[in-house]
Amino acid sequence: MTGNITLTMIKPMAVKKGFIGPILHKIAEGGFRIVAMKYMKLTLEQAEKFYEVHRERPFYQELTEFMSSGPIIAAILEKENAVQAYRDYIGATDPAKSEAGTIRALYGTNLGMNAVHGSDSDDNAKVEADFFFSSLERF
Ligand code: ATP
Ligand code: MG
């Protein structure tokens, strides 16, 4: 079964470069509805918890330090088959390899600073949405 929500973050470098507006515009253009959204800064401990699944990966420390280095936008997006639809829409993990016109190709800096996060499964979308948002913050 396919779910209808995914969790995205606009990562610190994209925020710093002034891309919040353009990225939200792109998200709307792609037909994703914003269910919940916040502007916040993760602590290192929160970033470590969010990326727990990557704890054994060599880039874990670099990733969690970067993700807690500045403010982010976190949002729940809704669309039919949202997880796969959004991953297709943002493009490959490495912006240099992302298809032209995708969010990462347009707004990514490099592999670590690839503009946005997108959930990789329906189960993780739920876990990640619950990490950021209570039921009172979803519309
Ligand atoms: P995301 O989970 O952010 O949507 P993804 O699912 O395409 O991206 P993952 O394999 O889950 O990619 O990696 C999580 C994040 O870790 C990537 O978005 C990227 O910013 C960072 N990352 C992945 N591989 C590397 C690497 N080799 N060096 C540095 N950072 C990396
Ligand atoms: Mg991932």
Side-chain angles (χ1 to χ4, degrees):
M1 205 182 99
T2 55
N4 63 352
I5 64 154
T6 191
L7 186 286
T8 190
M9 294 183 285
I10 301 178
K11 300 188 180 187
M13 183 55 74
V15 170
K16 197 171 174 180
K17 288 182 168 177
F19 294 152
I20 292 176
I23 290 172
L24 291 179
H25 182 75
K26 257 316 252 192
I27 286 171
E29 248 181 11
F32 297 89
R33 190 180 75 80
I34 293 170
V35 173
M37 184 162 68
K38 59 178 65 165
Y39 187 34
M40 61 170 315
K41 186 168 177 287
L42 293 168
T43 64
L44 178 61
E45 292 69 27
Q46 288 168 330
E48 287 172 349
K49 181 160 186 282
F50 184 89
Y51 283 110
E52 187 67 46
V53 292
H54 292 317
R55 190 173 284 278
E56 301 308 322
R57 309 273 285 271
F59 56 83
Y60 180 71
Q61 188 181 351
E62 177 188 332
L63 175 63
T64 53
E65 284 177 2
F66 168 61
M67 289 303 295
S68 58
S69 69
I72 61 161
I73 295 284
I76 300 173
L77 306 179
E78 182 183 62
K79 189 179 180 172
E80 193 180 334
N81 197 13
V83 165
Q84 193 55 48
Y86 191 63
R87 288 182 76 81
D88 292 345
Y89 198 62
I90 65 181
T93 308
D94 183 349
K97 295 175 186 155
S98 303
E99 302 72 11
T102 59
I103 292 179
R104 283 171 166 167
L106 287 166
Y107 303 114
T109 300
N110 57 39
L111 179 58
M113 301 174 183
N114 55 0
V116 293
H117 166 83
S119 306
D120 62 8
S121 68
D122 291 343
D123 286 350
N124 282 338
K126 185 182 182 312
V127 170
E128 292 175 4
D130 291 347
F131 176 89
F132 282 106
F133 299 101
S134 78
S135 59
L136 299 176
E137 297 170 310
R138 303 178 191 208
F139 307 97

